[in-house]
Amino acid sequence: MIGTTEEHDIRKIVARNLNIARLRRGLTINGLAEMSGIGKATLSGIENSAGNPTIETVWQLAKALDVPFGQLVEHSHGNEHVISERGVTATLIDSQTAPQEIETYLLELIPDTTRKANAHMVGVKEHVVVLRGSLLTGTEEHPVFLKAGQIHSFPGDCNHIYRSFDDAAAAIVTVVYPVTMPICRSSFDLVRPWPQTEDQWSGLESQLSRIKLEISQGIETCRLSLDDCNLAPPEALAKLDHLLQGDPGFRAAVPAFSVFDEMPSIIFFSRPHSHFMLQQADHENQAVTEASNLANRAISTWRPLDSNEITALRRQLKDKSIVTATLAAEVLTRHGMPSVPARIGPKRTNKKTPANKSGASTTLFEDRIDVDAYAAYELVHPAYAKQSVAIAKCIVENHARNNLRLLDVGTGPGRPLQMLLELVPELQVTAIDPSESSYHHLCRLFKGDKRVKPVLASITNIPGVERNRFDVAISVGASHHLNTSHFFQSTHRQIKPGALFLVADEMIAPFHEPRERQANLIAHHLQYVSDTLVDIPADALTEAERLLVELLRQQVPAAIHEARSGCVAASASRCRLLLKKLGELDLGESISHQLLAFYRFHFLELEALVAGLDYEVEQKTYPRCFAELAQHSGFEVCEHSRLYATHGLDDWDGGTHFFVLRALP
């Protein structure tokens, strides 16, 4: 525990440093408890200067937060501070951060004392010099006996021990953290000199054509970097952009982005294309038919839009129907004419939105995601409106009568429900959501609409009803915000036997271990971003908006490349750092250019991605696992389709998915 020396100060220092490190990671108290295995009450006590953390507790927290031990115990002025537990005292006496992080401690043990240390973060090395007494130290499997003056080095990323004998022992322990490389190179990377002659430029064009062919034939990704470039980054990237534009079909067939990290580069990666078309059915709902046709036109990019279609679509951007305007914008965007619905944004901050509930028993959506921005800019999410169209189409095809009692699970701010009611206006809806921020937006959106009854609750907290169950249930983008099994079981209790449960949600490509899940999660989220990195005139933006656009256009392609090429840790670090930089921008509530709505959406997608890396709020699984969980919870899977593809070629890979489930008796 913390020793008597400067006891009060060290408690405050650990409390302050822990709170700063946790908030920088974007974690709630609940999230840090899950990652570290330390109880929420203990964590709250430490952050309130009431706790008495042991050396091992601080190490566990440092490992969970991916920060050096010394960062949690060091005073801002660099003063020495002592932490002790059960006869072991550790004093931080030096800390350096460049060229890599190295910490030096004086470790003192009273006679006949053993300290067992759990594994630190991957790549950590420890070097021990015994000053007095004797010490048994090293990995648990191969410890070494040392006398005063002797030295031993061992990996600190596995369990290790320090043991004194008849006399007290003291040692200098140096902890060396791994160097974080700014660029991760792999077999998917090529480096060549910057062209200096016409012939060298011609050779580069030939190489680009070969890479394009390889990517279109199934290679996941490639980064071609150009060394020895004497041009300033903007000028170098302008030349590369001009080179890419020389092939008019290049960017459409294989996404290609010019970026600048340590050197100018062109990044290519394969792009899965979803060809799922909403089938035309024999029903009388004209609104659903027209919306289905629009949704299908967004997919058929192989058939260019003619001038009459373009004129009609641009007129529909201003349509009073939000589903029509959103679909028209998607059609134009997918066909190379970036557009947003006329009524998009601005962000409206809800004064009733609660403060971050990091210490609450349940982590809420608003703890990790800016709900006000989500309500403003969610409409530009690719294939967003198509989810409501698919649900509406299924309802009109399977239910002949009007006034169906519908349960909307996890309604959020309410846009998908708004679109559904435009297509099927006879529904009587109970809309439930546990987020107070979302609930306030939902109430405002449907103020005075007697068809919609908002309920501030989670589906898992509503008791089951034996009578008057719902005729049908829907859920759009909510299943991954809570335990999926509980989501299914709770909904099953609320609907009639044989009733349909229609779920549209994002899911990632299949995974079998944590690293693979992280890679697939990054590839999935950032594909939505990559598909909408539209061009905006820089002179139309504020300085903060210009930086937002510049950071996303430079960092997102690099992060996708790293995730797909196996450099998952580098990609995750890049995403976390990017989110931190974006969070420091003063963007305000309005936007200077309508197309900036895409980049405000990108900010939200990055928030969701980093929350997903922490497995907090965002808990995405893969489609076959989702179907298995549904079946285990009493549902039959009647239909499945991938409405929008983000990663992988199979219909069961990453993207926006739609399930038609039937509740078994």
Side-chain angles (χ1 to χ4, degrees), residues 7 132 218 275 511 603:
E7 180 175 320
R132 66 175 182 270
H275 296 295
F511 57 88
F603 194 158

Side-chain angles (χ1 to χ4, degrees), residues 28-157:
T28 64
I29 289 286
N30 294 327
L32 182 55
E34 291 174 358
M35 295 180 71
S36 66
I38 297 171
K40 289 180 286 187
T42 299
L43 292 175
S44 295
I46 294 173
E47 286 203 8
N48 290 322
S49 303
N52 216 12
T54 64
I55 296 173
E56 190 55 43
T57 297
V58 178
W59 266 115
Q60 282 180 260
L61 292 171
K63 182 179 179 182
L65 292 166
D66 197 25
V67 299
F69 178 92
Q71 185 173 319
L72 298 184
V73 300
E74 187 174 27
H75 192 278
S76 59
H77 301 299
N79 295 0
E80 293 182 4
H81 290 287
V82 178
I83 293 183
S84 63
E85 65 171 29
R86 295 187 299 274
V88 181
T89 300
T91 304
L92 177 67
I93 58 177
D94 186 54
S95 177
Q96 70 176 52
T97 57
Q100 69 185 108
E101 301 217 48
I102 300 176
E103 297 172 344
T104 304
Y105 300 89
L106 173 62
L107 188 69
E108 298 174 287
L109 294 85
I110 64 174
D112 196 24
T113 299
T114 300
R115 164 162 159 68
K116 292 187 177 181
N118 292 327
H120 307 322
M121 62 186 69
V122 176
V124 168
K125 303 287 185 184
E126 293 200 19
H127 307 280
V128 179
V129 181
V130 177
L131 300 178
R132 66 175 182 270
S134 55
L135 197 65
L136 184 71
T137 187
T139 63
E140 279 192 346
E141 293 184 354
H142 303 289
V144 174
F145 180 79
L146 303 176
K147 295 181 179 180
Q150 293 185 313
I151 301 172
H152 180 51
S153 300
F154 56 89
D157 54 6

Side-chain angles (χ1 to χ4, degrees), residues 245-428:
Q245 291 166 6
D247 183 347
F250 195 98
R251 289 180 184 266
V254 175
F257 296 90
S258 300
V259 304
F260 199 110
D261 274 341
E262 290 182 335
M263 60 185 79
S265 306
I266 301 175
I267 293 176
F268 313 80
F269 42 84
S270 59
R271 171 67 179 91
H273 292 279
S274 173
H275 296 295
F276 176 76
M277 308 283 281
L278 295 171
Q279 299 299 315
Q280 296 303 317
D282 186 18
H283 57 73
E284 298 180 357
N285 190 311
Q286 188 63 28
V288 173
T289 299
E290 292 176 357
S292 297
N293 291 337
L294 265 179
N296 288 341
R297 193 64 182 97
I299 295 173
S300 54
T301 52
W302 59 85
R303 179 165 59 87
L305 299 171
D306 60 38
S307 58
N308 291 332
E309 285 182 297
I310 294 171
T311 300
L313 288 165
R314 286 178 173 163
R315 185 172 59 250
Q316 287 174 315
L317 291 175
K318 302 176 183 179
D319 199 282
K320 64 180 182 180
S321 165
I322 195 70
V323 68
T324 298
T326 302
L327 288 169
E330 184 181 349
V331 175
L332 288 167
T333 300
R334 295 283 291 274
H335 284 261
M337 291 165 274
S339 305
V340 300
R343 290 189 290 165
I344 196 79
K347 172 183 171 182
R348 297 175 63 182
T349 301
N350 198 317
K351 293 182 180 180
K352 294 182 180 180
T353 298
N356 184 290
K357 293 189 173 183
S358 58
S361 59
T362 302
T363 303
L364 298 176
F365 189 65
E366 54 260 38
D367 287 332
R368 297 298 302 258
I369 310 296
D370 184 343
V371 176
D372 297 327
Y374 182 77
Y377 304 115
E378 61 184 325
L379 290 177
V380 300
H381 194 302
Y384 193 76
K386 191 177 181 181
Q387 299 173 103
S388 295
V389 178
I391 290 172
K393 184 173 177 297
C394 189
I395 289 175
V396 299
E397 289 173 359
N398 288 277
H399 293 278
R401 70 181 182 85
N402 295 333
N403 301 318
L404 289 172
R405 295 184 64 250
L406 181 143
L407 175 66
D408 188 355
V409 182
T411 311
R415 286 296 194 185
L417 178 58
Q418 181 187 26
M419 290 189 277
L420 175 62
L421 287 170
E422 288 180 351
L423 300 171
V424 191
E426 322 65 63
L427 299 172
Q428 298 297 315

